[in-house]
Amino acid sequence: MTILNNIDKNAPIAFFDSGVGGLTVLNKVKKILPNESFIYYGDTLHMPYGEKTKEQLLEYSDKIFKFFESKGCKAVVMACNTTSSVIYDSVKDKYNLIVFPIVQSVAKILSQLPINKLGIFATRATISSMAYQNEIAKYNSNMKVYGQHCPDWVHIVEENTMDLANSREIIKNDFEKMMKNSPDRIVLGCTHYPFLLGVLSELANKDLFIDPAIPFADYIKDTLAQNNLLCDSKHRFEEFYVSSNPDNFKNSSCMFYELTELPKLLTF
Ligand code: DGL
């Protein structure tokens, strides 16, 4: 990660994802950095990112990063495993922003877990990229990492249908497929998936699952603190934007974030 010289520590931290998933990260960051200002962009028009090509993800994210630059943000949190896995290397030095990618930021901590077999539930694009396997192998080449694509989970979260019998059946089938590998722990490698922890914990002990947003938030705080970039202003704010359907975003977000007003509609 590159730390730039001309950064205003009191500028907001930006977050983006294809929808409500990134709120699972913002929720954790806000708990440990309550004085910071935040700008969140949910690219709901292009959701699901996990089914998009690298070229499409680069096109969407270029507009989002330029928007964050125009807002004077100090950093961008890629609160999305898919974009972190597929395009982080292409965007990391392109903008006047510090870039925090979720996968690369938590790989070291995951590699140090005292286990042999790690499962990863994630989107098609994240699994195909092998990003988790490659990043973990940089620190621990002995750990076996089993990726599994869960094609319907993002829609279940965005549409808030996790309580329907059909959704539970889909989640159970994907879970059982993964359990054939007998993983010691399973990473929820898509920021939407912590919304499904209630359903998952009916299938196994909650401790089986790892929400990487927790170590990711610590990593963001530590990095900003080490570089003297924590906000020291009393005037904080939050802004939320989506590229379609603000009502749906507000309704689906409530498990991880209580929005006081509808997010603003913003397309590029
Ligand atoms: N929440 C994102 C992730 O972490 C994107 C999910 C999607 O839109 O497919 O991968």
Side-chain angles (χ1 to χ4, degrees):
M1 177 196 311
T2 315
I3 300 289
L4 306 151
N5 292 324
N6 54 342
I7 296 286
D8 172 7
K9 62 169 142 181
N10 292 325
I13 304 175
F15 287 71
F16 83 101
D17 179 44
S18 63
V20 294
L23 295 173
T24 62
V25 180
L26 175 55
N27 168 295
K28 304 289 181 300
V29 172
K30 190 177 171 180
K31 278 191 183 133
I32 57 171
L33 290 174
N35 298 327
E36 298 289 329
S37 294
F38 303 115
I39 297 183
Y40 187 98
Y41 191 84
D43 192 7
T44 43
L45 186 64
H46 298 121
M47 186 274 299
Y49 272 6
E51 300 297 321
K52 300 293 188 292
T53 62
K54 179 174 182 181
E55 289 66 34
Q56 286 172 309
L57 294 174
L58 281 170
E59 183 195 325
Y60 309 147
S61 67
D62 184 54
K63 293 176 180 146
I64 298 169
F65 274 81
K66 285 180 176 153
F67 167 62
F68 291 149
E69 274 184 329
S70 77
K71 298 286 279 181
C73 296
K74 64 180 170 189
V76 175
V77 176
M78 297 177 84
C80 170
N81 292 263
T82 304
T83 49
S84 302
S85 300
V86 180
I87 62 167
Y88 172 62
D89 284 339
S90 310
V91 299
K92 62 182 180 191
D93 297 318
K94 212 170 155 191
Y95 305 92
N96 193 36
L97 295 155
I98 302 166
V99 184
F100 290 104
I102 184 164
V103 178
Q104 294 80 352
S105 306
V106 301
K108 188 172 178 189
I109 286 177
L110 295 176
S111 75
Q112 291 164 344
L113 290 170
I115 60 171
N116 298 318
K117 295 181 179 184
L118 183 67
I120 310 283
F121 283 140
T123 65
R124 184 195 306 277
T126 300
I127 297 299
S128 319
S129 75
M130 301 287 284
Y132 269 103
Q133 284 87 340
N134 295 337
E135 291 298 319
I136 289 170
K138 286 183 187 168
Y139 308 101
N140 178 357
S141 53
N142 294 322
M143 188 180 270
K144 289 197 174 65
V145 181
Y146 300 93
Q148 185 174 318
H149 162 215
C150 305
D152 303 300
W153 291 19
V154 168
H155 283 291
I156 291 172
V157 171
E158 288 289 332
E159 285 148 29
N160 208 356
T161 57
M162 52 284 252
D163 291 328
L164 298 185
N166 185 39
S167 304
R168 286 171 175 264
E169 197 52 34
I170 289 169
I171 295 166
K172 185 166 172 264
N173 285 341
D174 289 331
F175 173 77
E176 284 171 356
K177 245 187 259 167
M178 167 59 89
M179 290 313 283
K180 291 193 179 131
N181 303 308
S182 311
D184 301 305
R185 306 284 302 275
I186 304 174
V187 176
L188 302 178
C190 165
T191 53
H192 282 76
Y193 297 174
F195 280 87
L196 303 175
L197 262 172
V199 184
L200 288 166
S201 56
E202 287 170 18
L203 300 169
N205 188 317
K206 207 172 168 200
D207 293 341
L208 178 66
F209 306 102
I210 299 171
D211 178 357
I214 298 165
F216 188 33
D218 288 335
Y219 178 81
I220 292 166
K221 181 180 177 183
D222 292 348
T223 308
L224 292 175
Q226 282 155 16
N227 291 283
N228 194 24
L229 285 172
L230 290 177
C231 176
D232 58 12
S233 157
K234 297 268 173 293
H235 306 286
R236 69 172 298 278
F237 66 89
E238 292 181 10
E239 290 174 12
F240 290 85
Y241 299 86
V242 290
S243 49
S244 74
N245 218 335
D247 292 285
N248 189 62
F249 184 91
K250 187 166 187 292
N251 292 338
S252 300
S253 63
C254 54
M255 193 185 294
F256 277 91
Y257 220 84
E258 207 58 58
L259 291 182
T260 48
E261 52 188 67
L262 276 184
K264 294 190 183 71
L265 190 60
L266 178 68
T267 48
F268 305 109

